[in-house]
Amino acid sequence: MATFRRGAADTDRPGTVPAPRTSAPARRAALLAGVALLGVLTACGTENGGAGTPQKLPGTAEPASGDRTTDAGSNPTASPTGSAAPTGSGTTSGSASASSGSGSTGTRCHTSELRASVGNNDPGAGQENFPVVLTNGSGRTCTLRGYPGAAFVDASGKQLGPDPRRSSGTPTTVTLAPGQSAWSGLTFSNPEISGAGTATPASLLVTPPDEKDSLKVTWTQGKVPVSGNASSVSLTVVQAGTGA
């Protein structure tokens, strides 16, 4: 009995405050409040740039400009026949260098840098043969490669006859220094021999290889075939020189 009474007395010492007992509902409420507070603090940290796993959004980023153009270094040999552009005329002499490689020195000659002219006829075996000459009128060295485009037109600009066909040939890169020229052969059967339908063009539109704009050359060589038998006109690949 003495032992029990002494232990009881120890718990009732003056100045000692016994710990309050917390009920089970109170403890559960405190735990839920702590979890809620932790969630609030985590959300605030994310909004303010806190460390965490970044979100991965679906989709692929595109350039702001939307520009998807490919490398401009491609060099097709075809050229469409474009509409009339600045007029060029007159035969210009000069020589140029050519290479059979796929590369080129400098950059392509643009329509605005060139002058066009038609040389003298060199007939033979019932064929009419004209050199179509392109001369570098710019102050830089540039290149031509492939087939030009061409079309006969009347005074109103209406095309006469079909587009010329391409004669067989291997394109080479022709390098033109300022003042130098390259030429393509324009050939058709003599209409008086072939019996083809004819017309007399006012101009020949010449489109440099790989360009869209054309140069207008006054046509002074008389009638050309535009329909019927043997009415086709052909063009060769450009080559160095004037074709004279």
Side-chain angles (χ1 to χ4, degrees), residues 19-86:
R21 295 183 178 180
T22 304
S23 64
R27 288 197 301 273
R28 186 179 302 110
L31 178 61
L32 293 176
V35 171
L37 179 59
L38 178 60
V40 171
L41 293 176
T42 302
C44 292
T46 302
E47 292 177 0
N48 293 320
T53 303
Q55 290 180 285
K56 184 176 182 181
L57 301 178
T60 303
E62 296 288 353
S65 66
D67 186 3
R68 298 184 183 181
T69 55
T70 56
D71 184 4
S74 60
N75 189 20
T77 59
S79 171
T81 299
S83 57

Side-chain angles (χ1 to χ4, degrees), residues 42-132:
T42 302
C44 292
T46 302
E47 292 177 0
N48 293 320
T53 303
Q55 290 180 285
K56 184 176 182 181
L57 301 178
T60 303
E62 296 288 353
S65 66
D67 186 3
R68 298 184 183 181
T69 55
T70 56
D71 184 4
S74 60
N75 189 20
T77 59
S79 171
T81 299
S83 57
T87 301
S89 61
T91 302
T92 304
S93 61
S95 59
S97 60
S99 64
S100 58
S102 58
S104 61
T105 302
T107 57
R108 186 177 78 244
C109 299
H110 300 295
T111 301
S112 60
E113 299 174 306
L114 299 168
R115 300 192 306 269
S117 61
V118 177
N120 295 325
N121 186 16
D122 182 20
Q127 296 291 111
E128 310 299 322
N129 306 296
F130 299 90
V132 177

